[in-house]
Amino acid sequence: MAVYAFWILATIVVLSAVMVIAARNPVHSVLFLILTFFTSAGLLVLIGAEFIAMLLVVVYVGAVAVLFLFVVMMLDVDFVELKQGFLSYLPFGLLVGAVFLAEIVLASVSSVGAVTGNFDASPGADTNTEAIGQVMYTEYLLLFQMAGIVLLVSMIGAIVLTLRHRPNVKRQSIAKQTARRRADAFELKDPSSGQGI
């Protein structure tokens, strides 16, 4: 039964991945991408990697694909201009697609034994989550920390690049806030009777 489920899910993954690049409407393309992610999560559940399947659904479907969908729906896409350059790039696109197809066929043929039952999703651990934790925080600890530093630097870089000072926009002055004294926090007024401040 698992073999039939694998072939059904794999067929849906391949067809929806083809529709991601074949759909003329960008909104439909993103919806096919979401279908591809969900079905790939189903394949991961079949091999016993439930944690990675849930990460795929939560991170890619819940964040990345929905972000793509919002961005595509907010864009003013000119479909006439989009279709004009299609034929000029068709030969190159077919060549790249043929290379990708050859890679997929090669990977499928070489790993057919892994799908039929030689794969252990949790080697030496009770669950695959524990196995991922053991590998990530022992063998690949330095690489994991370096990846975190790269992500932190890229996040700081994105903030610095988008931080622009505009003349009419009020901004926080951290130096002013930290140098503020108690006497600067308030000002006593002594208005005359019957007059406002």
Side-chain angles (χ1 to χ4, degrees):
M1 186 63 185
V3 175
Y4 296 120
F6 167 76
W7 285 110
I8 291 169
L9 291 175
T11 306
I12 294 172
V13 165
V14 171
L15 291 178
S16 58
V18 167
M19 288 306 295
V20 168
I21 57 172
R24 296 220 179 249
N25 190 335
V27 176
H28 295 164
S29 180
V30 174
L31 292 175
F32 278 117
L33 183 66
I34 291 173
L35 176 64
T36 306
F37 287 152
F38 265 117
T39 317
S40 300
L43 287 173
L44 289 170
V45 168
L46 276 179
I47 63 171
E50 299 90 5
F51 179 70
I52 299 176
M54 285 309 300
L55 280 181
L56 184 70
V57 170
V58 169
V59 173
Y60 284 98
V61 176
V64 176
V66 172
L67 178 68
F68 285 169
L69 190 61
F70 282 144
V71 168
V72 165
M73 291 176 76
M74 288 192 310
L75 290 177
D76 187 19
V77 179
D78 186 10
F79 289 104
V80 176
E81 186 180 340
L82 192 66
K83 293 175 186 174
Q84 283 177 352
F86 176 73
L87 288 177
S88 61
Y89 293 113
L90 184 62
F92 181 69
L94 289 175
L95 176 67
V96 171
V99 169
F100 282 159
L101 183 63
E103 288 177 357
I104 290 170
V105 168
L106 182 65
S108 300
V109 169
S110 64
S111 66
V112 96
V115 176
T116 56
N118 297 334
F119 179 75
D120 185 10
S122 54
D126 293 335
T127 62
N128 55 24
T129 312
E130 185 180 346
I132 290 171
Q134 285 175 356
V135 171
M136 188 182 297
Y137 294 114
T138 55
E139 295 179 34
Y140 299 107
L141 179 63
L142 181 63
L143 294 175
F144 182 67
Q145 289 180 343
M146 287 171 60
I149 290 171
V150 167
L151 289 173
L152 177 66
V153 169
S154 64
M155 183 177 67
I156 293 171
I159 292 170
V160 167
L161 288 175
T162 58
L163 188 67
R164 294 178 299 173
H165 293 285
R166 292 181 287 255
N168 296 330
V169 177
K170 288 187 176 181
R171 300 191 68 87
Q172 239 180 330
S173 174
I174 297 173
K176 248 186 194 178
Q177 288 179 345
T178 55
R180 192 177 96 164
R181 294 170 299 150
R182 183 178 292 177
D184 300 332
F186 62 91
E187 183 180 348
L188 292 176
K189 298 284 187 179
D190 190 15
S192 305
S193 180
Q195 294 180 355
I197 295 176

